[in-house]
Amino acid sequence: MQLKRVVVTGLGAVTPLGNTVSEYWNNLVSGVSGAGPITRFDASKFRTRFACEVKGFDPGNYLDRKEARKMDPFVHYAIASTDEAIADSKIKDSGIDFNRVGVIWGSGIGGLLTFQEEVLNFGSGDGTPRFNPFFIPKMIVDSSAGLISMRNGFRGPNYCTVSACASSNNALIDAFTYIRTGRINVCITGGSEAAVTIAGVGGFNALKAMSERNDEPQKASRPYDKDRDGFVLGEGSCALVLEEYEHAVKRGAKIYCEIAGSGMSSDAYHITAPHPEGIGFVLMLQDALRDAEIDPSAIDYINTHGTSTPLGDPLELNAIYEVFGEDAYKMNISSTKSMHGHLLGAAGAVEAVACIKAIENQMVPPTINLDNLDETIDPRFNLTPNVASKRNIRYAMSNGFGFGGHNAAVVFKRMD
Protein backbone atom coordinates (compact mmCIF):
# COMPACT_ATOMS: atom_id res chain seq x y z
CA MET A 1 0.00 0.00 0.00
CA GLN A 2 1.21 3.48 -0.89
CA LEU A 3 0.78 5.48 2.30
CA LYS A 4 -0.65 8.97 1.94
CA ARG A 5 0.93 12.10 3.39
CA VAL A 6 -0.81 13.70 6.36
CA VAL A 7 -0.66 17.39 7.23
CA VAL A 8 -2.00 19.72 9.92
CA THR A 9 -4.43 22.38 8.69
CA GLY A 10 -6.07 23.69 11.88
CA LEU A 11 -5.24 24.35 15.53
CA GLY A 12 -7.23 25.24 18.63
CA ALA A 13 -6.38 25.73 22.32
CA VAL A 14 -7.89 26.23 25.77
CA THR A 15 -5.00 26.14 28.22
CA PRO A 16 -3.74 27.56 31.52
CA LEU A 17 -1.70 29.98 29.39
CA GLY A 18 -4.55 31.25 27.24
CA ASN A 19 -7.81 30.28 25.60
CA THR A 20 -6.67 30.65 21.99
CA VAL A 21 -3.67 29.30 20.13
CA SER A 22 -2.07 32.74 19.82
CA GLU A 23 -2.42 33.48 23.55
CA TYR A 24 -1.08 30.06 24.44
CA TRP A 25 1.93 30.35 22.13
CA ASN A 26 2.81 33.93 23.11
CA ASN A 27 2.84 33.04 26.81
CA LEU A 28 4.75 29.84 26.12
CA VAL A 29 7.66 31.56 24.38
CA SER A 30 7.59 34.31 27.00
CA GLY A 31 8.19 31.76 29.75
CA VAL A 32 4.96 32.48 31.63
CA SER A 33 3.79 30.08 34.33
CA GLY A 34 0.11 29.15 34.42
CA ALA A 35 0.25 27.98 38.05
CA GLY A 36 -1.55 29.62 40.95
CA PRO A 37 -3.72 28.88 44.02
CA ILE A 38 -6.65 26.58 43.31
CA THR A 39 -9.93 28.45 42.85
CA ARG A 40 -12.17 25.50 41.88
CA PHE A 41 -12.67 24.41 45.52
CA ASP A 42 -11.34 25.04 49.02
CA ALA A 43 -7.95 23.34 48.93
CA SER A 44 -6.74 24.63 52.30
CA LYS A 45 -6.60 21.15 53.85
CA PHE A 46 -4.80 19.52 50.90
CA ARG A 47 -1.05 18.96 50.75
CA THR A 48 -1.07 20.62 47.32
CA ARG A 49 -3.08 23.81 47.14
CA PHE A 50 -2.25 25.06 43.65
CA ALA A 51 -2.64 24.00 40.02
CA CYS A 52 -2.49 25.28 36.44
CA GLU A 53 -6.15 26.21 35.95
CA VAL A 54 -7.83 27.49 32.80
CA LYS A 55 -8.64 31.17 33.40
CA GLY A 56 -11.48 33.40 32.22
CA PHE A 57 -13.26 30.60 30.38
CA ASP A 58 -17.03 30.85 29.89
CA PRO A 59 -18.73 27.85 28.23
CA GLY A 60 -21.60 30.18 27.40
CA ASN A 61 -19.39 31.73 24.72
CA TYR A 62 -19.55 28.43 22.83
CA LEU A 63 -22.71 26.66 23.97
CA ASP A 64 -26.31 27.36 24.88
CA ARG A 65 -26.30 27.48 28.69
CA LYS A 66 -28.98 24.80 28.97
CA GLU A 67 -26.87 22.48 26.81
CA ALA A 68 -23.68 23.39 28.68
CA ARG A 69 -25.25 22.15 31.94
CA LYS A 70 -25.52 18.69 30.36
CA MET A 71 -21.74 18.53 29.85
CA ASP A 72 -18.68 18.18 32.07
CA PRO A 73 -15.96 20.85 31.85
CA PHE A 74 -13.66 18.48 29.94
CA VAL A 75 -16.28 18.54 27.16
CA HIS A 76 -16.62 22.34 27.35
CA TYR A 77 -12.87 22.64 26.76
CA ALA A 78 -12.97 20.13 23.91
CA ILE A 79 -15.75 21.95 22.10
CA ALA A 80 -14.08 25.34 22.48
CA SER A 81 -10.72 24.13 21.16
CA THR A 82 -12.25 22.20 18.26
CA ASP A 83 -14.40 25.18 17.29
CA GLU A 84 -11.20 27.22 16.95
CA ALA A 85 -9.35 24.48 15.06
CA ILE A 86 -12.22 23.84 12.65
CA ALA A 87 -12.64 27.56 11.95
CA ASP A 88 -8.87 27.85 11.46
CA SER A 89 -8.89 25.01 8.92
CA LYS A 90 -11.95 26.30 7.02
CA ILE A 91 -12.98 22.70 6.32
CA LYS A 92 -16.68 23.47 6.81
CA ASP A 93 -16.54 26.13 4.10
CA SER A 94 -14.85 23.88 1.51
CA GLY A 95 -17.64 21.60 0.34
CA ILE A 96 -15.83 18.49 1.57
CA ASP A 97 -17.43 15.09 2.18
CA PHE A 98 -18.38 14.95 5.87
CA ASN A 99 -18.74 11.16 5.58
CA ARG A 100 -14.93 11.06 5.37
CA VAL A 101 -14.23 13.31 8.36
CA GLY A 102 -13.47 11.50 11.61
CA VAL A 103 -13.22 12.57 15.25
CA ILE A 104 -10.67 10.74 17.41
CA TRP A 105 -10.25 12.33 20.81
CA GLY A 106 -8.11 11.59 23.86
CA SER A 107 -8.84 11.88 27.57
CA GLY A 108 -7.37 9.97 30.45
CA ILE A 109 -10.16 10.46 32.98
CA GLY A 110 -13.20 12.14 31.41
CA GLY A 111 -15.93 13.65 33.59
CA LEU A 112 -14.24 13.49 36.98
CA LEU A 113 -16.05 16.57 38.35
CA THR A 114 -19.42 15.13 37.32
CA PHE A 115 -18.66 11.78 38.98
CA GLN A 116 -17.43 13.52 42.12
CA GLU A 117 -20.49 15.77 42.42
CA GLU A 118 -22.99 12.95 41.94
CA VAL A 119 -21.31 10.71 44.51
CA LEU A 120 -21.00 13.56 47.05
CA ASN A 121 -24.67 14.48 46.55
CA PHE A 122 -25.74 10.90 47.13
CA GLY A 123 -23.47 10.52 50.16
CA SER A 124 -24.86 13.66 51.80
CA GLY A 125 -28.47 12.51 51.43
CA ASP A 126 -30.65 9.94 53.18
CA GLY A 127 -29.62 7.07 50.94
CA THR A 128 -32.40 7.57 48.42
CA PRO A 129 -30.82 7.18 44.96
CA ARG A 130 -31.31 10.56 43.31
CA PHE A 131 -28.96 11.01 40.37
CA ASN A 132 -28.89 13.53 37.54
CA PRO A 133 -30.30 11.90 34.38
CA PHE A 134 -27.27 13.29 32.52
CA PHE A 135 -24.80 11.78 35.02
CA ILE A 136 -23.63 8.94 32.76
CA PRO A 137 -23.44 10.83 29.43
CA LYS A 138 -21.65 13.72 31.19
CA MET A 139 -19.13 11.42 32.84
CA ILE A 140 -18.19 8.89 30.16
CA VAL A 141 -14.82 9.55 28.60
CA ASP A 142 -15.99 9.29 24.97
CA SER A 143 -18.61 12.05 25.26
CA SER A 144 -16.27 14.70 23.81
CA ALA A 145 -15.70 12.74 20.62
CA GLY A 146 -19.40 12.06 20.17
CA LEU A 147 -20.49 15.65 20.80
CA ILE A 148 -17.81 17.13 18.51
CA SER A 149 -19.10 14.84 15.75
CA MET A 150 -22.75 15.75 16.40
CA ARG A 151 -22.00 19.48 16.60
CA ASN A 152 -20.37 19.46 13.16
CA GLY A 153 -22.04 16.61 11.28
CA PHE A 154 -18.83 14.62 10.84
CA ARG A 155 -19.78 11.01 10.12
CA GLY A 156 -16.41 9.28 9.87
CA PRO A 157 -14.80 7.11 12.60
CA ASN A 158 -15.62 8.49 16.02
CA TYR A 159 -14.16 7.35 19.33
CA CYS A 160 -11.93 8.18 22.30
CA THR A 161 -8.46 6.86 23.12
CA VAL A 162 -7.69 6.25 26.80
CA SER A 163 -4.08 5.57 27.77
CA ALA A 164 -3.62 7.86 30.78
CA CYS A 165 -1.16 10.66 30.01
CA ALA A 166 -0.43 9.25 26.54
CA SER A 167 -4.12 9.43 25.54
CA SER A 168 -4.02 12.35 23.12
CA ASN A 169 -0.74 11.22 21.57
CA ASN A 170 -2.50 7.94 20.84
CA ALA A 171 -5.47 9.87 19.43
CA LEU A 172 -3.12 11.77 17.10
CA ILE A 173 -1.46 8.54 16.01
CA ASP A 174 -4.79 6.85 15.28
CA ALA A 175 -6.00 9.87 13.29
CA PHE A 176 -2.70 9.90 11.37
CA THR A 177 -3.07 6.19 10.62
CA TYR A 178 -6.67 6.42 9.38
CA ILE A 179 -5.73 9.19 6.94
CA ARG A 180 -2.41 7.77 5.70
CA THR A 181 -4.12 4.45 4.89
CA GLY A 182 -6.86 6.19 2.93
CA ARG A 183 -9.80 5.39 5.22
CA ILE A 184 -10.73 9.06 5.68
CA ASN A 185 -9.62 12.46 4.34
CA VAL A 186 -9.79 14.59 7.50
CA CYS A 187 -9.76 13.94 11.23
CA ILE A 188 -10.42 16.21 14.21
CA THR A 189 -8.13 15.06 16.98
CA GLY A 190 -6.59 16.20 20.25
CA GLY A 191 -7.46 15.84 23.90
CA SER A 192 -9.11 17.45 26.91
CA GLU A 193 -8.98 17.05 30.67
CA ALA A 194 -10.58 18.74 33.69
CA ALA A 195 -9.15 17.02 36.75
CA VAL A 196 -8.55 20.03 39.02
CA THR A 197 -11.14 18.69 41.44
CA ILE A 198 -11.26 17.43 45.01
CA ALA A 199 -10.90 13.86 43.77
CA GLY A 200 -8.16 14.68 41.25
CA VAL A 201 -5.96 16.65 43.62
CA GLY A 202 -6.66 14.29 46.52
CA GLY A 203 -5.92 11.22 44.46
CA PHE A 204 -2.61 12.45 43.10
CA ASN A 205 -1.64 13.72 46.56
CA ALA A 206 -2.26 10.22 47.89
CA LEU A 207 0.13 8.91 45.23
CA LYS A 208 2.68 11.52 46.36
CA ALA A 209 3.07 12.51 42.72
CA MET A 210 2.45 16.26 42.88
CA SER A 211 4.61 19.15 43.98
CA GLU A 212 3.85 20.65 47.39
CA ARG A 213 5.64 23.96 46.81
CA ASN A 214 2.60 25.92 48.01
CA ASP A 215 4.53 29.08 48.80
CA GLU A 216 5.84 29.40 45.21
CA PRO A 217 3.34 27.74 42.85
CA GLN A 218 4.73 29.43 39.75
CA LYS A 219 8.12 27.86 40.46
CA ALA A 220 6.78 24.43 41.38
CA SER A 221 6.94 22.77 37.95
CA ARG A 222 10.70 22.54 37.41
CA PRO A 223 11.68 19.67 35.14
CA TYR A 224 15.33 18.57 35.42
CA ASP A 225 15.99 20.89 38.36
CA LYS A 226 17.51 19.26 41.43
CA ASP A 227 14.81 20.82 43.66
CA ARG A 228 11.82 19.40 41.78
CA ASP A 229 9.34 17.54 43.96
CA GLY A 230 6.58 16.40 41.61
CA PHE A 231 4.30 17.54 38.81
CA VAL A 232 1.78 20.39 38.77
CA LEU A 233 -1.74 19.44 37.71
CA GLY A 234 -3.14 21.28 34.69
CA GLU A 235 -6.40 21.33 32.75
CA GLY A 236 -7.64 22.33 29.31
CA SER A 237 -7.65 21.13 25.73
CA CYS A 238 -5.94 21.41 22.38
CA ALA A 239 -7.30 20.36 19.00
CA LEU A 240 -5.72 19.64 15.62
CA VAL A 241 -7.23 19.16 12.19
CA LEU A 242 -5.28 16.47 10.32
CA GLU A 243 -5.81 16.15 6.58
CA GLU A 244 -4.58 14.11 3.65
CA TYR A 245 -2.02 16.24 1.81
CA GLU A 246 -3.56 16.20 -1.69
CA HIS A 247 -6.99 16.85 -0.21
CA ALA A 248 -5.63 19.91 1.61
CA VAL A 249 -3.80 21.22 -1.47
CA LYS A 250 -6.86 20.77 -3.67
CA ARG A 251 -8.98 23.01 -1.45
CA GLY A 252 -6.19 25.56 -0.93
CA ALA A 253 -5.80 24.95 2.78
CA LYS A 254 -3.15 26.55 4.95
CA ILE A 255 -0.70 23.83 5.97
CA TYR A 256 1.17 24.16 9.27
CA CYS A 257 3.35 21.08 8.96
CA GLU A 258 3.38 17.40 8.06
CA ILE A 259 3.03 14.42 10.40
CA ALA A 260 6.15 12.43 9.54
CA GLY A 261 5.70 9.38 11.76
CA SER A 262 4.90 7.98 15.17
CA GLY A 263 6.18 5.48 17.69
CA MET A 264 4.52 3.39 20.39
CA SER A 265 5.59 0.85 23.00
CA SER A 266 4.80 -0.55 26.41
CA ASP A 267 7.01 -0.75 29.49
CA ALA A 268 5.32 -4.02 30.57
CA TYR A 269 6.60 -3.22 34.05
CA HIS A 270 4.49 -1.26 36.59
CA ILE A 271 1.14 0.54 36.77
CA THR A 272 2.60 3.93 37.81
CA ALA A 273 6.43 3.74 37.63
CA PRO A 274 8.49 3.75 34.42
CA HIS A 275 10.81 0.85 33.70
CA PRO A 276 14.03 1.54 35.64
CA GLU A 277 16.10 1.02 32.49
CA GLY A 278 13.78 3.06 30.27
CA ILE A 279 13.28 0.13 27.90
CA GLY A 280 9.84 1.28 26.76
CA PHE A 281 11.06 4.82 26.15
CA VAL A 282 13.88 3.52 23.95
CA LEU A 283 11.56 1.28 21.92
CA MET A 284 9.13 4.18 21.38
CA LEU A 285 11.87 6.52 20.13
CA GLN A 286 13.30 3.87 17.81
CA ASP A 287 9.84 3.09 16.43
CA ALA A 288 9.13 6.79 15.77
CA LEU A 289 12.38 7.32 13.86
CA ARG A 290 11.84 4.14 11.86
CA ASP A 291 8.26 5.11 10.95
CA ALA A 292 9.34 8.63 9.94
CA GLU A 293 12.22 7.11 7.91
CA ILE A 294 14.76 9.54 9.32
CA ASP A 295 18.13 9.31 11.05
CA PRO A 296 18.49 10.42 14.67
CA SER A 297 20.48 13.44 13.50
CA ALA A 298 17.36 14.81 11.73
CA ILE A 299 15.50 15.70 14.93
CA ASP A 300 16.02 19.34 15.90
CA TYR A 301 13.68 19.61 18.88
CA ILE A 302 12.05 17.23 21.35
CA ASN A 303 9.22 18.35 23.61
CA THR A 304 9.77 15.79 26.34
CA HIS A 305 7.19 14.29 28.66
CA GLY A 306 9.29 15.99 31.38
CA THR A 307 6.79 16.01 34.24
CA SER A 308 9.15 17.38 36.94
CA THR A 309 9.21 14.10 38.83
CA PRO A 310 12.43 12.74 40.36
CA LEU A 311 12.15 9.35 38.65
CA GLY A 312 10.83 10.12 35.17
CA ASP A 313 12.92 13.10 34.07
CA PRO A 314 16.38 11.48 34.01
CA LEU A 315 15.08 8.18 32.62
CA GLU A 316 13.62 9.93 29.57
CA LEU A 317 16.86 11.80 28.90
CA ASN A 318 18.87 8.60 29.31
CA ALA A 319 16.64 6.94 26.72
CA ILE A 320 17.12 9.87 24.35
CA TYR A 321 20.88 9.51 24.65
CA GLU A 322 20.70 5.74 24.12
CA VAL A 323 18.81 6.24 20.83
CA PHE A 324 20.36 9.49 19.55
CA GLY A 325 23.90 9.17 20.87
CA GLU A 326 25.99 12.31 20.47
CA ASP A 327 23.21 13.84 18.35
CA ALA A 328 21.23 14.19 21.59
CA TYR A 329 23.52 17.06 22.55
CA LYS A 330 22.99 18.88 19.24
CA MET A 331 19.19 19.17 19.43
CA ASN A 332 17.07 21.40 21.64
CA ILE A 333 15.02 19.76 24.35
CA SER A 334 12.39 21.39 26.52
CA SER A 335 9.48 20.53 28.77
CA THR A 336 6.62 22.97 28.35
CA LYS A 337 4.93 21.34 31.35
CA SER A 338 7.10 23.75 33.32
CA MET A 339 4.60 26.41 32.18
CA HIS A 340 1.21 24.82 31.47
CA GLY A 341 1.50 21.99 33.98
CA HIS A 342 0.58 18.38 33.34
CA LEU A 343 -2.72 18.10 31.48
CA LEU A 344 -2.83 14.31 31.86
CA GLY A 345 -4.77 12.89 28.90
CA ALA A 346 -4.62 16.24 27.10
CA ALA A 347 -0.85 16.61 27.54
CA GLY A 348 0.06 15.16 24.15
CA ALA A 349 -2.28 17.50 22.28
CA VAL A 350 -1.11 20.60 24.16
CA GLU A 351 2.52 19.68 23.51
CA ALA A 352 1.83 18.79 19.87
CA VAL A 353 0.55 22.33 19.31
CA ALA A 354 3.71 23.63 21.00
CA CYS A 355 5.83 21.60 18.55
CA ILE A 356 3.83 22.76 15.54
CA LYS A 357 4.06 26.42 16.53
CA ALA A 358 7.78 25.92 17.21
CA ILE A 359 8.21 24.72 13.63
CA GLU A 360 6.07 27.54 12.27
CA ASN A 361 8.01 30.21 14.17
CA GLN A 362 11.43 28.48 14.23
CA MET A 363 11.48 29.04 17.98
CA VAL A 364 11.94 26.54 20.82
CA PRO A 365 9.84 27.28 23.92
CA PRO A 366 11.84 27.09 27.15
CA THR A 367 11.96 24.87 30.21
CA ILE A 368 11.34 27.46 32.92
CA ASN A 369 12.41 27.14 36.57
CA LEU A 370 15.52 25.23 35.54
CA ASP A 371 17.92 26.99 37.90
CA ASN A 372 20.05 24.16 39.30
CA LEU A 373 20.45 21.15 37.03
CA ASP A 374 20.05 17.82 38.79
CA GLU A 375 23.51 16.31 39.20
CA THR A 376 22.24 13.00 37.77
CA ILE A 377 21.50 14.71 34.42
CA ASP A 378 24.19 15.11 31.78
CA PRO A 379 24.92 18.86 31.45
CA ARG A 380 25.63 18.45 27.73
CA PHE A 381 21.90 18.26 26.98
CA ASN A 382 20.52 21.56 25.68
CA LEU A 383 17.38 21.75 27.84
CA THR A 384 16.56 25.32 26.71
CA PRO A 385 16.63 26.70 30.24
CA ASN A 386 14.33 29.62 31.09
CA VAL A 387 14.51 31.50 27.77
CA ALA A 388 13.08 30.58 24.35
CA SER A 389 15.67 29.85 21.68
CA LYS A 390 15.68 30.65 17.95
CA ARG A 391 16.52 27.56 15.95
CA ASN A 392 16.18 26.07 12.48
CA ILE A 393 13.60 23.33 13.12
CA ARG A 394 12.81 20.86 10.37
CA TYR A 395 11.75 17.92 12.55
CA ALA A 396 10.23 18.08 16.04
CA MET A 397 9.12 15.23 18.27
CA SER A 398 6.58 15.14 21.11
CA ASN A 399 6.90 12.38 23.74
CA GLY A 400 4.10 11.08 25.96
CA PHE A 401 4.05 8.44 28.69
CA GLY A 402 1.09 7.19 30.73
CA PHE A 403 0.34 5.18 33.85
CA GLY A 404 0.14 1.57 32.74
CA GLY A 405 3.40 1.82 30.80
CA HIS A 406 1.90 3.43 27.69
CA ASN A 407 4.47 5.26 25.53
CA ALA A 408 3.63 7.25 22.40
CA ALA A 409 5.57 9.80 20.31
CA VAL A 410 4.67 11.87 17.27
CA VAL A 411 7.14 13.35 14.75
CA PHE A 412 6.29 16.62 13.00
CA LYS A 413 8.02 17.88 9.85
CA ARG A 414 8.29 21.36 8.37
CA MET A 415 6.79 21.51 4.87
CA ASP A 416 9.43 21.81 2.17
Side-chain angles (χ1 to χ4, degrees):
M1 178 185 292
Q2 181 66 44
L3 295 176
K4 298 179 181 294
R5 296 173 67 186
V6 181
V7 295
V8 179
T9 57
L11 299 174
V14 174
T15 78
L17 298 178
N19 298 336
T20 65
V21 171
S22 61
E23 290 174 354
Y24 168 52
W25 173 249
N26 289 338
N27 283 320
L28 208 59
V29 293
S30 298
V32 174
S33 170
I38 290 171
T39 64
R40 299 278 186 269
F41 60 92
D42 180 4
S44 59
K45 294 182 180 180
F46 287 72
R47 290 206 303 272
T48 298
R49 299 187 288 277
F50 61 92
C52 287
E53 295 179 330
V54 168
K55 304 162 187 70
F57 179 82
D58 181 359
N61 292 334
Y62 307 91
L63 293 155
D64 175 83
R65 294 194 181 277
K66 183 178 179 181
E67 289 302 308
R69 286 196 295 271
K70 300 175 185 177
M71 303 172 192
D72 188 87
F74 92 105
V75 178
H76 296 159
Y77 299 152
I79 286 175
S81 68
T82 53
D83 276 4
E84 183 184 12
I86 290 165
D88 185 35
S89 72
K90 298 181 173 59
I91 56 169
K92 294 181 76 172
D93 305 323
S94 305
I96 66 172
D97 183 0
F98 282 13
N99 294 336
R100 292 180 58 81
V101 180
V103 180
I104 303 176
W105 200 253
S107 184
I109 299 177
L112 187 59
L113 179 64
T114 294
F115 192 92
Q116 171 189 291
E117 288 178 339
E118 292 298 315
V119 172
L120 288 175
N121 287 340
F122 175 72
S124 64
D126 60 5
T128 303
R130 296 185 182 92
F131 288 89
N132 189 310
F134 297 103
F135 172 28
I136 299 302
K138 284 176 70 176
M139 177 270 297
I140 52 177
V141 73
D142 65 303
S143 55
S144 286
L147 287 164
I148 293 164
S149 173
M150 295 172 205
R151 184 176 177 85
N152 296 284
F154 301 145
R155 292 178 290 269
N158 177 259
Y159 62 91
C160 178
T161 56
V162 182
S163 50
C165 303
S167 295
S168 51
N169 264 4
N170 281 126
L172 283 168
I173 292 168
D174 280 11
F176 170 54
T177 301
Y178 268 92
I179 296 171
R180 78 195 302 211
T181 54
R183 298 286 297 278
I184 54 177
N185 298 327
V186 178
C187 196
I188 315 305
T189 188
S192 59
E193 208 78 272
V196 183
T197 65
I198 292 169
V201 174
F204 282 116
N205 265 167
L207 279 172
K208 299 183 178 179
M210 292 199 302
S211 171
E212 298 177 19
R213 191 185 283 255
N214 294 297
D215 55 338
E216 294 181 302
Q218 293 186 331
K219 296 183 178 180
S221 185
R222 42 196 320 111
Y224 314 118
D225 191 273
K226 71 176 184 179
D227 296 319
R228 68 192 184 282
D229 67 330
F231 77 84
V232 176
L233 185 60
E235 62 176 0
S237 175
C238 273
L240 300 86
V241 177
L242 304 192
E243 190 166 351
E244 192 272 320
Y245 172 69
E246 296 294 345
H247 186 273
V249 170
K250 184 177 180 180
R251 69 179 187 86
K254 174 185 175 180
I255 296 175
Y256 284 96
C257 68
E258 184 172 358
I259 309 290
S262 65
M264 293 180 287
S265 73
S266 175
D267 284 358
Y269 173 70
H270 191 274
I271 193 65
T272 58
H275 193 286
E277 297 174 13
I279 292 173
F281 299 174
V282 169
L283 291 172
M284 175 203 71
L285 293 168
Q286 291 172 335
D287 190 38
L289 293 172
R290 183 167 51 245
D291 188 46
E293 298 182 336
I294 55 175
D295 294 325
S297 61
I299 297 291
D300 301 298
Y301 169 49
I302 297 181
N303 189 311
T304 56
H305 191 61
T307 55
S308 186
T309 51
L311 198 58
D313 289 4
L315 279 175
E316 183 176 7
L317 292 179
N318 290 344
I320 289 172
Y321 179 76
E322 183 170 340
V323 173
F324 289 85
E326 296 294 310
D327 289 320
Y329 304 136
K330 300 173 185 176
M331 67 175 71
N332 274 76
I333 293 170
S334 73
S335 171
T336 53
K337 286 186 180 72
S338 60
M339 293 172 279
H340 53 64
H342 192 352
L343 274 73
L344 309 180
V350 170
E351 290 153 27
V353 171
C355 285
I356 293 164
K357 294 296 289 183
I359 289 173
E360 181 186 37
N361 293 280
Q362 298 292 280
M363 176 75 73
V364 177
T367 306
I368 68 167
N369 299 321
L370 181 45
D371 302 320
N372 299 292
L373 185 67
D374 189 320
E375 58 271 11
T376 66
I377 292 173
D378 191 331
R380 290 175 291 179
F381 285 112
N382 181 359
L383 299 173
T384 323
N386 299 309
V387 179
S389 177
K390 287 291 291 182
R391 172 159 189 148
N392 179 32
I393 307 173
R394 188 167 186 234
Y395 286 95
M397 178 185 287
S398 175
N399 293 348
F401 313 131
F403 281 179
H406 313 294
N407 308 309
V410 183
V411 180
F412 303 93
K413 177 187 178 185
R414 185 178 70 215
M415 292 299 296
D416 293 325

